[in-house]
Amino acid sequence: MIFSKPSLITLFFLSSVFTYSQKYPLKYGIKAGWNYSNVNAVDEKGESSGYLSDIIDEAYAGFVFERQISEKSCIQSNLLISFTDRVTFLELPIYYKYNFYKRWSLIAGPKLNYIPDSEESQPYYFRRRFGISGDIGLNYEVSKHFVIEGCFSKGFTEQYDDLVLTYYNARRDVYRIGLIYFIN
């Protein structure tokens, strides 16, 4: 069988959501902001190790798409480029966004990460180029076009080793603050 039962249920659910949400326009825009990373890893003895970022040297930017599915909720997807500790990540989060009080919204959902960097030019060994994270955060709608966002991302996948600083099995947790500009 080409599709499993859970994937058919998911496909049916998503198609139902987008069919129902056709009365709401698709919003799109750009977003950018700062990362603060905590890279959790272990050293050569198996003890806790890792990396804490400097506040100035990390950033993210990309595109945002948002489809309202009811009066108070949306599905939001982003295509982002993020920089942490000299490692580039391409990220694809898919959020459920719920407006809980006036201009305040809660966002939560999974995020796929991909490392496109070459190992030859860096002191890293990439265990897995693909990774999964879970995100949760808050949005504040300043105006129809501008939204301030704050988010925490918990890395679940051990993606790389730093061969110079000697930490291994690194998982990246990220705190973010940024701005979204909706074009329409």
Side-chain angles (χ1 to χ4, degrees), residues 27-32 64 66 76 97 99 102-105 138-150 178-184:
K27 290 174 68 175
Y28 56 90
I30 55 175
K31 70 188 302 185
V64 60
E66 188 172 280
Q76 186 184 96
K97 179 179 172 184
N99 177 256
K102 295 183 181 179
R103 296 175 176 236
W104 290 93
S105 298
L138 291 173
N139 284 357
Y140 179 75
E141 186 179 337
V142 177
S143 70
K144 179 182 172 187
H145 294 283
F146 287 98
V147 175
I148 296 171
E149 71 173 358
L179 187 66
I180 300 171
Y181 174 72
F182 284 106
I183 296 167
N184 61 339

Side-chain angles (χ1 to χ4, degrees), residues 30-33 35 59-63 79-83 89 176:
I30 55 175
K31 70 188 302 185
N35 292 331
Y60 70 96
F63 300 100
L79 181 57
L80 303 173
I81 297 174
S82 176
F83 303 98
F89 291 88
R176 289 193 165 147

Side-chain angles (χ1 to χ4, degrees), residues 1 48 69 75 80 104 108 120 142-143 145 157 159 174 177:
M1 181 179 222
S48 273
I69 57 174
I75 299 292
L80 303 173
W104 290 93
E120 290 81 35
V142 177
S143 70
H145 294 283
T157 308
Q159 284 190 275
V174 181
I177 188 162

Side-chain angles (χ1 to χ4, degrees), residues 111-155:
K111 178 173 65 181
L112 300 175
N113 309 302
Y114 174 73
I115 301 173
D117 295 339
S118 167
E119 289 179 317
E120 290 81 35
S121 64
Q122 301 192 37
Y124 299 108
Y125 167 69
F126 298 123
R127 294 177 164 273
R128 292 177 187 89
R129 296 222 179 235
F130 284 98
I132 298 174
S133 302
D135 290 14
I136 189 164
L138 291 173
N139 284 357
Y140 179 75
E141 186 179 337
V142 177
S143 70
K144 179 182 172 187
H145 294 283
F146 287 98
V147 175
I148 296 171
E149 71 173 358
C151 187
F152 171 71
S153 178
K154 175 71 176 163

Side-chain angles (χ1 to χ4, degrees), residues 65-79:
F65 303 94
E66 188 172 280
R67 169 69 78 176
Q68 192 166 349
I69 57 174
S70 74
E71 190 175 314
K72 289 189 161 263
S73 60
C74 304
I75 299 292
Q76 186 184 96
S77 182
N78 302 268
L79 181 57

